[in-house]
Amino acid sequence: MAVTVPQRNLQIGKYPMAEKKFEREMKKLESEGVITRSEFLQIMAAAGAFLALGTDKAYAAKSSAKAKIVIIGGGAAGISMASRLKRKLQNPDITLIDPSDRQYYQPGFTLIGGGVYTIDDVWKPQADCMPQDVKWVKDRVTLVHPTQNRVQTAKSGTIAYDFLVVCPGVKYDWSRIEGITHATIGAGNAHTIYDPKGCQLTWKAMKEFSEKGGKGVFCDTFTKHKCGGAPKKISLLTWDNCRKQQTLDKIDLHYYTASKQLYNVPHFTPRLEEIYRERNIPVDMNCRLKAIDTSAKKAYFERVETDAEGNKITTPFTDDYDFMHFMVPQCAPDFVRESGLSWTEGNLAADGWAMVDKHSLIHLTYDNIISFGDCAGIPTSKTSAAIRKQLPIAVENLIALMEGRTPEAKYDGYAACPIVTEYGKVLMAEFDYDKKEQITFPLSLWDMSQEQWVAWLLKVYALKPIYFNLMLKGLY
């Protein structure tokens, strides 16, 4: 079946600033002999045809199964699920519970922090993103009663369901870092891009730091977290800004990771480690941020290591900074654990992630509940690319359950993390549960173990329109 992708969905002409930036990038690539405009357009046309293949499934034969479906969460996972189910069911009865006024393209927060986007580039009114004929309950969930098939809300009472989809995203647990709160983001020049306000403050601080120089401290966190590459991107963009400002001789950058290695996907790790060495940015492993003294500009860490006998050794230390970017520890929203939906053992239990089968995304206790997206307790990265691949699995298996069939669709753990290494280059890491590279077309035409300009163009110019115009509409 031939499918024509509406051109209006892929145009950037309606965004004049983006179009001008794209033209500059294209001219630079042509002048450097990297690729001609004609070659680039041919590749993008092939990619567009590839994207169109994904829309075939969205228009496949509809199921006549009937059931009351409740979706918790109105982010990338929740709205995409509602849209796809609307297209797949003849008589959809879908309620979506979410309190948000705005739909943010959250992968864009890093680009705001790096001065590429502005905040107005990455959001739309939630009402404009909500699928038609889906009942939107603008409220938050306080508890699920899984044995009664009911959801309790803060203001809208109890809502019954036959099938439940749990995708409320993550909770930022500010209580695990002393000295700073959500309300005081930016105090003492300590920043995080994981917030609409925070990413804007990050760019202002990064720009000033790049002009003056000083000590820069960057760190991730010890919990599972969304967009794990973001702290790396901010550290590398800070270095690149300093290069542009010719202040590299005035800076001292340091990266701390709570992990035992900088990155855990072997195909991409060597080049990423090499970049940090080339830029003289030391990387310390097994370090957890515990507190920030914003008045003194001091970051307090613990180095957590294990000796030969298996004993845990914790060593506290402090580092001064002039500019800092940190990540807040993350966990599932409280109601997930309080409703008995979380893992109770294993390394996914501590932070309350939903207990689902990692392939089917069906809850291991309650088989009329599916969970995917950032809240799901599965061993892969929490990214929008992962959600995009989980979505058809969740839809197909939910419909199978509604029809009384055995769910057969399986998610392989695919996730992607576009690590921005400099302005104009991205190391696009795509991988599965086994941490094996899974390079998708058209990126498979390049050596993706190295940073590439084409991945930058994809990250900056293509992924956002795909998110708003295809993914949230259940078409991709």
Side-chain angles (χ1 to χ4, degrees), residues 338-452:
E338 293 168 359
S339 302
L341 301 180
S342 300
W343 285 96
T344 55
E345 57 185 20
N347 61 2
L348 295 168
D351 299 310
W353 307 114
M355 185 175 66
V356 297
D357 178 82
K358 71 176 186 178
H359 295 299
S360 71
L361 307 178
I362 298 171
H363 199 275
L364 292 175
T365 302
Y366 307 103
D367 61 6
N368 64 337
I369 296 178
I370 281 180
S371 180
F372 72 109
D374 294 343
C375 180
I378 53 180
T380 193
S381 295
K382 300 181 182 298
T383 69
S384 63
I387 291 172
R388 178 173 61 80
K389 290 293 189 177
Q390 292 163 19
L391 172 64
I393 308 304
V395 170
E396 293 304 318
N397 284 343
L398 177 56
I399 291 176
L401 291 169
M402 291 170 63
E403 294 177 341
R405 297 185 287 109
T406 300
E408 297 180 348
K410 293 184 178 181
Y411 170 57
D412 65 1
Y414 174 90
C417 182
I419 302 174
V420 181
T421 57
E422 62 186 271
Y423 292 93
K425 294 283 184 68
V426 165
L427 183 65
M428 178 64 83
E430 298 178 275
F431 49 91
D432 60 17
Y433 276 136
D434 297 324
K435 304 301 180 182
K436 294 286 290 181
E437 67 274 15
Q438 295 290 334
I439 314 300
T440 54
F441 181 83
L443 297 181
S444 54
L445 299 174
W446 286 267
D447 176 9
M448 298 312 294
S449 68
Q450 305 291 309
E451 63 272 33
Q452 298 288 353

Side-chain angles (χ1 to χ4, degrees), residues 4-11 470:
T4 301
V5 179
Q7 288 300 304
R8 60 184 173 81
N9 285 339
L10 301 178
Q11 288 176 349
L470 294 177

Side-chain angles (χ1 to χ4, degrees), residues 24-259:
R24 288 198 298 269
E25 296 282 354
M26 199 70 247
K27 289 178 180 178
K28 179 182 177 184
L29 293 170
E30 287 183 300
S31 68
E32 294 175 352
V34 176
I35 192 171
T36 67
R37 183 177 297 262
S38 175
E39 290 169 336
F40 176 77
L41 291 175
Q42 289 175 22
I43 291 169
M44 289 301 103
F50 184 74
L51 284 175
L53 295 176
T55 67
D56 282 343
K57 294 182 179 180
Y59 291 108
K62 293 188 175 184
S63 170
S64 60
K66 295 182 180 180
K68 182 171 180 57
I69 302 167
V70 172
I71 300 172
I72 301 174
I79 288 187
S80 298
M81 184 74 173
S83 295
R84 184 71 68 93
L85 285 171
K86 253 198 65 179
R87 298 178 184 278
K88 298 281 283 184
L89 297 172
Q90 290 180 10
N91 301 289
D93 180 0
I94 304 169
T95 298
L96 190 150
I97 308 171
D98 184 82
S100 306
D101 293 312
R102 293 183 174 188
Q103 176 72 217
Y104 285 101
Y105 173 63
Q106 294 185 43
F109 285 0
T110 304
L111 293 175
I112 295 173
V116 179
Y117 287 170
T118 68
I119 192 65
D120 288 335
D121 291 328
V122 301
W123 73 272
K124 290 187 177 183
Q126 184 76 315
D128 293 352
C129 299
M130 199 65 61
Q132 289 185 353
D133 302 322
V134 168
K135 183 181 178 183
W136 177 21
V137 178
K138 198 168 182 291
D139 202 349
R140 63 181 181 85
V141 171
T142 57
L143 199 65
V144 174
H145 303 280
T147 59
Q148 303 172 25
N149 290 356
R150 293 182 178 276
V151 173
Q152 186 69 43
T153 64
K155 298 179 293 185
S156 306
T158 301
I159 299 171
Y161 64 84
D162 298 312
F163 293 92
L164 180 67
V165 181
V166 180
C167 44
V170 304
K171 170 188 171 182
Y172 295 104
D173 193 351
W174 289 89
S175 68
R176 297 198 202 181
I177 302 179
E178 295 182 29
I180 197 163
T181 67
H182 180 262
T184 60
I185 289 175
N189 219 23
H191 301 275
T192 180
I193 59 96
Y194 288 81
D195 176 83
K197 171 188 170 186
C199 58
Q200 295 176 80
L201 292 174
T202 298
W203 169 235
K204 181 176 182 293
M206 182 192 295
K207 188 176 179 182
E208 292 176 353
F209 176 82
S210 300
E211 293 169 352
K212 298 177 182 178
K215 176 70 177 289
V217 169
F218 309 85
C219 65
D220 56 25
T221 190
F222 57 91
T223 64
K224 283 189 70 66
H225 45 267
K226 65 198 304 180
C227 193
K232 300 177 184 68
K233 301 173 197 179
I234 295 299
S235 68
L236 296 175
L237 285 175
T238 300
W239 182 93
D240 203 29
N241 264 298
C242 293
R243 177 187 62 81
K244 290 182 175 183
Q245 295 294 329
Q246 299 182 338
T247 56
L248 289 177
D249 60 338
K250 298 179 181 178
I251 64 169
D252 176 15
L253 307 185
H254 208 120
Y255 190 86
Y256 295 100
T257 177
S259 301

Side-chain angles (χ1 to χ4, degrees), residues 176-177 219 222 287-292 299-301 324 326:
R176 297 198 202 181
I177 302 179
C219 65
F222 57 91
C287 298
R288 300 183 176 188
L289 178 67
K290 301 299 291 183
I292 304 173
Y300 294 83
F301 293 90
M324 180 176 186
F326 66 97

